[in-house]
Amino acid sequence: MKRNRFHIKFQLNGVSFSSVNEILTFASGFSDEIHQFLKNWFSVDPYIIVKTSGSTGIPKDIKLQKSKMINSALATGAFFDLKENTTALLCLPTEYIAGKMMLIRALTLGWQLNVVAPTSFPLRGIKKSFDFTAMVPLQLENSLNSLNQIKKLIVGGGVVSKQLENKILNTTCTVFATYGMTETITHIAVKRLNNFSSIERNTSMKSLQKGFYETLPSVEIYKDDRNCLVINALEVSNEVIFTNDIVNLVSETQFEWLGRFDNVINSGGIKLHPEKIEEKLSEIISKRFFVAGIPDSTLGEKLVLIIEDSYTSNEVEVSFKLKINQLKALTKFEIPKEIYFVTKFIETETNKIQRNKTLDLLN
Protein backbone atom coordinates (compact mmCIF):
# COMPACT_ATOMS: atom_id res chain seq x y z
CA MET A 1 0.00 0.00 0.00
CA LYS A 2 1.21 3.50 -0.79
CA ARG A 3 1.77 6.03 1.93
CA ASN A 4 -1.21 8.21 2.76
CA ARG A 5 -0.89 11.67 1.33
CA PHE A 6 -2.19 14.87 2.86
CA HIS A 7 -4.15 17.82 1.54
CA ILE A 8 -1.91 20.69 0.44
CA LYS A 9 -4.02 23.15 2.48
CA PHE A 10 -3.53 21.22 5.73
CA GLN A 11 -2.14 23.26 8.61
CA LEU A 12 -1.26 22.23 12.14
CA ASN A 13 -1.13 24.99 14.76
CA GLY A 14 -0.73 27.59 12.01
CA VAL A 15 2.09 25.81 10.16
CA SER A 16 1.87 24.57 6.55
CA PHE A 17 3.87 21.62 5.22
CA SER A 18 5.36 20.42 1.94
CA SER A 19 6.19 16.86 2.98
CA VAL A 20 5.24 14.10 5.40
CA ASN A 21 8.63 14.36 7.06
CA GLU A 22 7.97 18.03 7.82
CA ILE A 23 4.68 17.10 9.51
CA LEU A 24 6.31 14.35 11.58
CA THR A 25 9.21 16.56 12.63
CA PHE A 26 6.85 19.35 13.67
CA ALA A 27 4.52 16.98 15.57
CA SER A 28 7.44 15.44 17.47
CA GLY A 29 8.13 18.85 18.94
CA PHE A 30 4.87 19.19 20.85
CA SER A 31 3.18 15.78 21.27
CA ASP A 32 4.70 12.31 21.40
CA GLU A 33 1.23 10.77 21.10
CA ILE A 34 0.26 12.73 17.99
CA HIS A 35 3.70 12.16 16.48
CA GLN A 36 3.42 8.39 16.97
CA PHE A 37 -0.08 8.28 15.52
CA LEU A 38 0.91 10.32 12.45
CA LYS A 39 3.96 8.11 12.01
CA ASN A 40 1.66 5.08 11.94
CA TRP A 41 -0.80 6.88 9.67
CA PHE A 42 1.83 7.69 7.06
CA SER A 43 3.37 4.20 7.20
CA VAL A 44 2.74 1.61 4.47
CA ASP A 45 0.50 -0.48 6.76
CA PRO A 46 -3.09 -0.52 5.45
CA TYR A 47 -4.64 -0.28 8.92
CA ILE A 48 -4.41 1.53 12.25
CA ILE A 49 -4.76 -0.19 15.63
CA VAL A 50 -7.27 1.69 17.80
CA LYS A 51 -8.34 1.10 21.40
CA THR A 52 -12.09 0.93 22.15
CA SER A 53 -13.41 2.99 25.07
CA GLY A 54 -14.70 0.04 27.12
CA SER A 55 -18.07 1.66 27.82
CA THR A 56 -20.02 -1.40 26.56
CA GLY A 57 -17.48 -4.10 27.33
CA ILE A 58 -13.84 -4.83 28.02
CA PRO A 59 -11.53 -2.33 26.22
CA LYS A 60 -9.81 -3.96 23.28
CA ASP A 61 -7.59 -3.14 20.34
CA ILE A 62 -9.16 -3.33 16.88
CA LYS A 63 -7.80 -2.79 13.39
CA LEU A 64 -9.33 -0.05 11.25
CA GLN A 65 -8.53 0.25 7.57
CA LYS A 66 -7.01 3.60 6.67
CA SER A 67 -9.13 3.77 3.52
CA LYS A 68 -12.28 3.47 5.66
CA MET A 69 -11.04 6.24 7.96
CA ILE A 70 -10.56 8.49 4.94
CA ASN A 71 -14.11 7.64 3.81
CA SER A 72 -15.42 8.62 7.25
CA ALA A 73 -13.57 11.94 7.07
CA LEU A 74 -15.01 12.68 3.61
CA ALA A 75 -18.54 11.84 4.83
CA THR A 76 -18.22 14.23 7.77
CA GLY A 77 -16.90 16.98 5.53
CA ALA A 78 -19.75 16.55 3.06
CA PHE A 79 -22.48 16.33 5.70
CA PHE A 80 -21.40 19.39 7.66
CA ASP A 81 -20.17 21.33 4.61
CA LEU A 82 -16.60 21.57 5.94
CA LYS A 83 -14.38 22.23 2.96
CA GLU A 84 -10.67 23.04 2.68
CA ASN A 85 -9.43 25.91 4.89
CA THR A 86 -11.99 25.03 7.57
CA THR A 87 -10.65 26.16 10.94
CA ALA A 88 -10.95 23.38 13.51
CA LEU A 89 -10.01 22.74 17.13
CA LEU A 90 -8.76 19.39 18.44
CA CYS A 91 -9.36 19.23 22.20
CA LEU A 92 -9.92 15.47 22.60
CA PRO A 93 -7.23 12.93 23.51
CA THR A 94 -5.75 11.30 20.41
CA GLU A 95 -5.45 7.99 22.25
CA TYR A 96 -9.00 7.16 21.13
CA ILE A 97 -10.81 7.25 17.80
CA ALA A 98 -12.60 10.61 18.25
CA GLY A 99 -9.34 12.50 18.65
CA LYS A 100 -7.60 10.54 15.91
CA MET A 101 -10.40 11.30 13.45
CA MET A 102 -10.08 15.04 13.99
CA LEU A 103 -6.51 14.70 12.73
CA ILE A 104 -7.55 12.52 9.78
CA ARG A 105 -10.32 14.94 8.79
CA ALA A 106 -7.87 17.82 8.83
CA LEU A 107 -5.25 15.92 6.82
CA THR A 108 -7.80 14.63 4.30
CA LEU A 109 -9.93 17.74 3.84
CA GLY A 110 -7.27 20.42 4.15
CA TRP A 111 -8.30 21.98 7.44
CA GLN A 112 -6.38 24.47 9.56
CA LEU A 113 -6.22 22.46 12.79
CA ASN A 114 -5.30 23.88 16.17
CA VAL A 115 -4.42 21.40 18.92
CA VAL A 116 -4.88 22.15 22.63
CA ALA A 117 -4.51 19.95 25.70
CA PRO A 118 -7.56 17.67 26.20
CA THR A 119 -8.76 19.30 29.42
CA SER A 120 -12.22 19.79 30.91
CA PHE A 121 -12.03 23.49 29.93
CA PRO A 122 -10.90 23.36 26.28
CA LEU A 123 -11.70 26.99 25.40
CA ARG A 124 -10.12 28.54 28.49
CA GLY A 125 -7.64 31.19 27.33
CA ILE A 126 -8.48 30.60 23.64
CA LYS A 127 -9.10 33.80 21.68
CA LYS A 128 -9.48 32.34 18.19
CA SER A 129 -12.76 31.37 16.56
CA PHE A 130 -13.29 28.04 14.80
CA ASP A 131 -15.64 26.59 12.21
CA PHE A 132 -15.74 23.15 13.82
CA THR A 133 -14.78 21.12 16.88
CA ALA A 134 -15.68 17.95 18.77
CA MET A 135 -16.16 17.70 22.54
CA VAL A 136 -17.49 15.43 25.26
CA PRO A 137 -20.49 16.69 27.32
CA LEU A 138 -18.33 17.88 30.25
CA GLN A 139 -16.22 20.03 27.91
CA LEU A 140 -19.36 21.46 26.34
CA GLU A 141 -20.79 22.27 29.79
CA ASN A 142 -17.58 24.09 30.73
CA SER A 143 -17.46 26.05 27.46
CA LEU A 144 -20.94 27.62 27.49
CA ASN A 145 -19.63 31.18 27.89
CA SER A 146 -17.31 30.79 24.89
CA LEU A 147 -19.48 28.87 22.43
CA ASN A 148 -19.83 31.95 20.23
CA GLN A 149 -16.25 31.16 19.14
CA ILE A 150 -17.45 27.93 17.49
CA LYS A 151 -19.77 27.66 14.46
CA LYS A 152 -20.49 23.92 14.52
CA LEU A 153 -19.80 21.49 17.33
CA ILE A 154 -20.33 17.73 17.63
CA VAL A 155 -20.61 16.20 21.09
CA GLY A 156 -20.17 12.52 21.87
CA GLY A 157 -18.76 10.09 24.39
CA GLY A 158 -21.77 10.47 26.68
CA VAL A 159 -25.38 11.59 26.91
CA VAL A 160 -26.18 15.30 26.81
CA SER A 161 -28.56 16.00 29.71
CA LYS A 162 -31.77 17.96 29.36
CA GLN A 163 -30.30 20.68 31.57
CA LEU A 164 -27.32 21.04 29.23
CA GLU A 165 -29.58 21.00 26.16
CA ASN A 166 -31.54 23.89 27.63
CA LYS A 167 -28.33 25.84 28.28
CA ILE A 168 -27.26 25.70 24.61
CA LEU A 169 -30.63 26.65 23.11
CA ASN A 170 -29.78 30.31 22.61
CA THR A 171 -26.16 30.04 21.54
CA THR A 172 -25.10 30.87 17.98
CA CYS A 173 -23.03 27.67 17.89
CA THR A 174 -24.94 24.82 16.28
CA VAL A 175 -24.51 21.67 18.38
CA PHE A 176 -25.03 18.09 17.21
CA ALA A 177 -25.08 14.93 19.32
CA THR A 178 -23.38 12.02 17.58
CA TYR A 179 -24.13 8.31 17.40
CA GLY A 180 -21.35 5.89 16.63
CA MET A 181 -18.59 3.71 18.00
CA THR A 182 -14.99 2.83 17.33
CA GLU A 183 -16.07 0.06 14.94
CA THR A 184 -17.94 2.61 12.77
CA ILE A 185 -14.99 5.04 12.91
CA THR A 186 -16.88 7.55 15.09
CA HIS A 187 -20.31 8.83 14.08
CA ILE A 188 -22.63 7.35 11.47
CA ALA A 189 -25.57 9.54 12.57
CA VAL A 190 -26.10 12.94 14.22
CA LYS A 191 -28.91 14.65 16.13
CA ARG A 192 -29.27 18.41 16.10
CA LEU A 193 -29.64 19.86 19.61
CA ASN A 194 -30.31 23.57 18.93
CA ASN A 195 -30.83 26.30 16.32
CA PHE A 196 -33.71 24.43 14.70
CA SER A 197 -35.10 27.58 13.08
CA SER A 198 -31.89 28.43 11.23
CA ILE A 199 -31.79 27.66 7.51
CA GLU A 200 -29.00 25.39 6.33
CA ARG A 201 -27.78 25.70 2.77
CA ASN A 202 -26.44 22.17 2.97
CA THR A 203 -29.41 20.00 1.95
CA SER A 204 -28.06 17.01 3.90
CA MET A 205 -28.94 18.81 7.13
CA LYS A 206 -32.35 20.18 6.17
CA SER A 207 -34.05 16.93 7.11
CA LEU A 208 -32.75 16.93 10.68
CA GLN A 209 -35.68 16.80 13.09
CA LYS A 210 -35.68 17.49 16.79
CA GLY A 211 -35.09 14.38 18.87
CA PHE A 212 -34.04 12.06 16.03
CA TYR A 213 -30.69 10.93 14.68
CA GLU A 214 -30.09 11.35 10.95
CA THR A 215 -27.67 8.97 9.23
CA LEU A 216 -24.75 10.18 7.18
CA PRO A 217 -24.67 9.36 3.44
CA SER A 218 -24.22 5.69 2.40
CA VAL A 219 -25.42 4.36 5.78
CA GLU A 220 -28.25 1.79 5.81
CA ILE A 221 -30.09 1.06 9.06
CA TYR A 222 -32.70 -1.46 10.19
CA LYS A 223 -33.73 -3.39 13.33
CA ASP A 224 -33.16 -6.96 14.42
CA ASP A 225 -35.67 -9.14 16.31
CA ARG A 226 -34.65 -7.47 19.59
CA ASN A 227 -35.57 -4.03 18.14
CA CYS A 228 -31.85 -3.18 18.21
CA LEU A 229 -30.17 -1.07 15.55
CA VAL A 230 -28.31 -2.82 12.74
CA ILE A 231 -25.82 -0.74 10.75
CA ASN A 232 -24.74 -1.47 7.19
CA ALA A 233 -22.13 1.16 6.35
CA LEU A 234 -19.76 -0.40 3.85
CA GLU A 235 -17.89 2.88 3.35
CA VAL A 236 -16.54 2.67 6.91
CA SER A 237 -16.90 -1.01 7.87
CA ASN A 238 -16.59 -4.28 5.94
CA GLU A 239 -19.08 -5.95 8.29
CA VAL A 240 -22.72 -5.37 9.16
CA ILE A 241 -22.76 -4.21 12.78
CA PHE A 242 -25.42 -5.58 15.14
CA THR A 243 -25.64 -3.18 18.08
CA ASN A 244 -27.28 -3.52 21.49
CA ASP A 245 -28.99 -0.14 21.09
CA ILE A 246 -32.79 -0.30 21.12
CA VAL A 247 -34.24 2.20 18.64
CA ASN A 248 -37.45 3.42 17.09
CA LEU A 249 -37.05 3.74 13.33
CA VAL A 250 -38.64 6.99 12.17
CA SER A 251 -37.67 6.62 8.49
CA GLU A 252 -35.03 4.92 6.36
CA THR A 253 -32.51 7.51 7.52
CA GLN A 254 -33.78 8.56 10.98
CA PHE A 255 -34.08 6.85 14.34
CA GLU A 256 -34.81 7.58 17.97
CA TRP A 257 -32.38 6.04 20.45
CA LEU A 258 -34.23 4.43 23.38
CA GLY A 259 -31.41 2.78 25.32
CA ARG A 260 -29.19 -0.26 25.69
CA PHE A 261 -30.70 -3.73 25.35
CA ASP A 262 -28.45 -4.98 28.15
CA ASN A 263 -29.72 -2.23 30.48
CA VAL A 264 -33.46 -2.93 30.06
CA ILE A 265 -35.23 -3.46 33.40
CA ASN A 266 -38.14 -5.92 33.70
CA SER A 267 -40.08 -4.71 36.72
CA GLY A 268 -43.30 -6.62 37.35
CA GLY A 269 -43.60 -7.42 33.65
CA ILE A 270 -43.08 -3.78 32.60
CA LYS A 271 -39.99 -3.16 30.46
CA LEU A 272 -38.24 0.04 31.43
CA HIS A 273 -35.49 1.79 29.45
CA PRO A 274 -33.07 3.42 31.95
CA GLU A 275 -31.69 5.91 29.44
CA LYS A 276 -35.12 7.37 28.65
CA ILE A 277 -35.92 7.64 32.37
CA GLU A 278 -32.54 9.33 32.95
CA GLU A 279 -33.31 11.81 30.18
CA LYS A 280 -36.45 12.86 32.07
CA LEU A 281 -34.76 12.93 35.47
CA SER A 282 -31.90 15.09 34.14
CA GLU A 283 -34.32 18.05 34.21
CA ILE A 284 -34.23 18.04 38.03
CA ILE A 285 -30.91 16.35 38.95
CA SER A 286 -27.71 18.28 38.28
CA LYS A 287 -25.29 15.76 39.79
CA ARG A 288 -24.17 12.63 37.97
CA PHE A 289 -26.65 9.77 38.34
CA PHE A 290 -28.12 6.70 36.70
CA VAL A 291 -31.05 4.35 37.23
CA ALA A 292 -30.86 0.57 37.30
CA GLY A 293 -32.73 -2.55 38.26
CA ILE A 294 -31.83 -4.59 41.35
CA PRO A 295 -33.31 -7.97 42.39
CA ASP A 296 -36.69 -7.80 44.12
CA SER A 297 -38.74 -10.73 45.44
CA THR A 298 -42.04 -9.23 44.28
CA LEU A 299 -41.24 -7.37 41.05
CA GLY A 300 -38.31 -9.47 39.85
CA GLU A 301 -36.37 -6.23 39.44
CA LYS A 302 -37.09 -2.89 41.06
CA LEU A 303 -36.08 0.48 39.69
CA VAL A 304 -33.54 2.37 41.79
CA LEU A 305 -31.77 5.71 41.43
CA ILE A 306 -28.05 6.05 42.17
CA ILE A 307 -26.67 9.58 42.64
CA GLU A 308 -23.01 10.55 42.89
CA ASP A 309 -22.80 12.64 46.04
CA SER A 310 -20.38 12.66 48.95
CA TYR A 311 -22.75 14.38 51.39
CA THR A 312 -26.23 13.02 51.99
CA SER A 313 -28.92 13.28 54.62
CA ASN A 314 -32.52 12.22 55.09
CA GLU A 315 -33.56 15.74 54.13
CA VAL A 316 -31.70 15.51 50.82
CA GLU A 317 -33.29 12.15 50.03
CA VAL A 318 -36.76 13.41 50.90
CA SER A 319 -36.20 16.48 48.69
CA PHE A 320 -35.20 14.29 45.73
CA LYS A 321 -38.22 12.03 46.20
CA LEU A 322 -40.56 15.03 46.32
CA LYS A 323 -39.13 16.49 43.09
CA ILE A 324 -39.30 13.11 41.34
CA ASN A 325 -42.95 12.54 42.33
CA GLN A 326 -43.82 15.98 40.97
CA LEU A 327 -42.11 15.35 37.63
CA LYS A 328 -45.02 14.97 35.21
CA ALA A 329 -42.89 13.45 32.45
CA LEU A 330 -42.47 10.24 34.47
CA THR A 331 -45.05 7.47 34.38
CA LYS A 332 -45.84 5.70 37.66
CA PHE A 333 -43.62 2.80 36.63
CA GLU A 334 -40.66 5.13 35.99
CA ILE A 335 -40.52 6.49 39.55
CA PRO A 336 -37.55 4.90 41.39
CA LYS A 337 -38.46 2.75 44.39
CA GLU A 338 -35.24 3.60 46.23
CA ILE A 339 -32.52 6.26 46.08
CA TYR A 340 -28.88 5.45 46.84
CA PHE A 341 -25.91 7.79 47.14
CA VAL A 342 -22.38 6.82 46.09
CA THR A 343 -19.38 9.04 46.81
CA LYS A 344 -17.62 8.28 43.49
CA PHE A 345 -18.83 6.33 40.47
CA ILE A 346 -16.52 3.74 38.93
CA GLU A 347 -15.51 4.85 35.42
CA THR A 348 -13.82 3.64 32.27
CA GLU A 349 -10.56 5.21 31.08
CA THR A 350 -12.68 7.66 29.06
CA ASN A 351 -14.70 8.71 32.14
CA LYS A 352 -17.87 6.83 31.21
CA ILE A 353 -19.84 5.38 34.13
CA GLN A 354 -19.48 1.64 34.68
CA ARG A 355 -22.98 0.89 35.88
CA ASN A 356 -22.59 -2.71 37.05
CA LYS A 357 -19.35 -2.10 38.93
CA THR A 358 -20.85 0.98 40.59
CA LEU A 359 -23.93 -1.04 41.59
CA ASP A 360 -21.62 -3.54 43.28
CA LEU A 361 -20.62 -0.75 45.66
CA LEU A 362 -24.12 -0.89 47.15
CA ASN A 363 -23.58 -4.40 48.50
Side-chain angles (χ1 to χ4, degrees):
M1 179 180 176
K2 293 182 178 180
R3 273 188 165 197
N4 283 309
R5 298 180 179 178
F6 63 95
H7 197 292
I8 192 64
K9 295 290 187 179
F10 169 69
Q11 289 185 12
L12 186 59
N13 286 356
V15 178
S16 299
F17 308 93
S18 59
S19 70
V20 168
N21 286 337
E22 283 187 8
I23 296 176
L24 295 178
T25 300
F26 180 77
S28 67
F30 73 90
S31 171
D32 291 338
E33 195 170 274
I34 290 177
H35 173 254
Q36 187 57 53
F37 170 67
L38 291 176
K39 189 176 178 181
N40 294 336
W41 177 254
F42 287 119
S43 74
V44 296
D45 291 332
Y47 59 83
I48 287 284
I49 296 177
V50 181
K51 183 190 296 184
T52 63
S53 66
S55 58
T56 58
I58 299 172
K60 59 183 179 180
D61 291 339
I62 63 172
K63 291 181 179 180
L64 297 178
Q65 290 183 319
K66 292 177 180 177
S67 60
K68 302 292 187 185
M69 297 173 79
I70 291 173
N71 288 343
S72 174
L74 293 171
T76 296
F79 191 86
F80 290 105
D81 194 26
L82 301 169
K83 299 180 173 66
E84 63 180 43
N85 295 318
T86 288
T87 55
L89 177 69
L90 169 54
C91 56
L92 297 172
T94 52
E95 180 181 358
Y96 296 97
I97 187 63
K100 285 178 167 61
M101 282 309 300
M102 283 296 289
L103 281 165
I104 302 310
R105 291 168 193 143
L107 286 164
T108 303
L109 300 169
W111 291 356
Q112 299 170 17
L113 185 69
N114 275 68
V115 181
V116 296
T119 68
S120 299
F121 294 85
L123 295 181
R124 178 178 284 173
I126 302 295
K127 302 299 182 183
K128 288 185 178 181
S129 295
F130 299 94
D131 297 317
F132 184 75
T133 193
M135 294 184 183
V136 297
L138 178 61
Q139 290 177 316
L140 175 60
E141 177 87 49
N142 291 333
S143 301
L144 293 173
N145 293 332
S146 304
L147 284 183
N148 62 327
Q149 294 172 231
I150 309 292
K151 289 183 181 178
K152 293 173 184 174
L153 185 153
I154 57 175
V155 56
V159 176
V160 177
S161 69
K162 280 293 182 184
Q163 287 189 351
L164 183 51
E165 277 194 45
N166 290 335
K167 291 176 182 177
I168 61 174
L169 283 178
N170 296 320
T171 179
T172 57
C173 172
T174 305
V175 183
F176 303 84
T178 59
Y179 175 87
M181 57 207 75
T182 306
E183 291 82 352
T184 60
I185 310 178
T186 66
H187 52 266
I188 54 92
V190 299
K191 177 175 68 173
R192 192 169 185 151
L193 298 181
N194 66 349
N195 293 344
F196 296 100
S197 60
S198 64
I199 300 174
E200 287 287 350
R201 289 177 295 174
N202 187 342
T203 55
S204 64
M205 280 195 282
K206 285 183 179 178
S207 60
L208 286 175
Q209 295 183 39
K210 192 173 184 178
F212 302 140
Y213 284 96
E214 174 84 14
T215 59
L216 269 62
S218 302
V219 175
E220 178 188 358
I221 55 172
Y222 54 96
K223 294 194 295 184
D224 63 14
D225 55 7
R226 303 170 301 157
N227 286 319
C228 289
L229 185 67
V230 182
I231 303 167
N232 185 10
L234 296 180
E235 293 292 318
V236 295
S237 175
N238 288 328
E239 299 177 354
V240 174
I241 297 173
F242 291 81
T243 76
N244 282 326
D245 292 310
I246 300 173
V247 298
N248 172 35
L249 289 186
V250 179
S251 70
E252 291 183 351
T253 61
Q254 293 178 321
F255 63 91
E256 178 188 15
W257 183 74
L258 300 178
R260 297 281 298 173
F261 180 80
D262 33 357
N263 288 341
V264 170
I265 301 165
N266 190 332
S267 185
I270 304 295
K271 289 186 178 180
L272 302 172
H273 298 289
E275 293 86 353
K276 299 306 290 184
I277 298 172
E278 289 161 5
E279 183 180 356
K280 298 174 182 179
L281 287 172
S282 70
E283 295 184 19
I284 59 171
I285 304 176
S286 58
K287 298 181 182 295
R288 288 207 304 177
F289 73 94
F290 66 93
V291 299
I294 63 174
D296 182 79
S297 58
T298 303
L299 298 171
E301 286 183 295
K302 69 177 178 180
L303 181 70
V304 297
L305 168 64
I306 300 91
I307 300 173
E308 188 178 51
D309 198 345
S310 58
Y311 175 78
T312 60
S313 65
N314 288 334
E315 289 79 8
V316 171
E317 185 174 345
V318 169
S319 176
F320 272 119
K321 286 183 177 179
L322 183 61
K323 290 179 181 178
I324 290 169
N325 284 314
Q326 292 176 339
L327 190 59
K328 294 181 180 179
L330 293 175
T331 70
K332 64 179 182 179
F333 302 109
E334 295 174 330
I335 297 175
K337 305 296 184 186
E338 304 285 348
I339 300 177
Y340 296 96
F341 296 91
V342 173
T343 302
K344 177 67 177 174
F345 287 165
I346 297 178
E347 303 173 334
T348 66
E349 290 181 10
T350 53
N351 303 121
K352 295 179 181 178
I353 299 170
Q354 292 191 311
R355 294 172 182 247
N356 291 335
K357 289 186 178 181
T358 301
L359 278 175
D360 290 340
L361 299 176
L362 303 180
N363 298 325

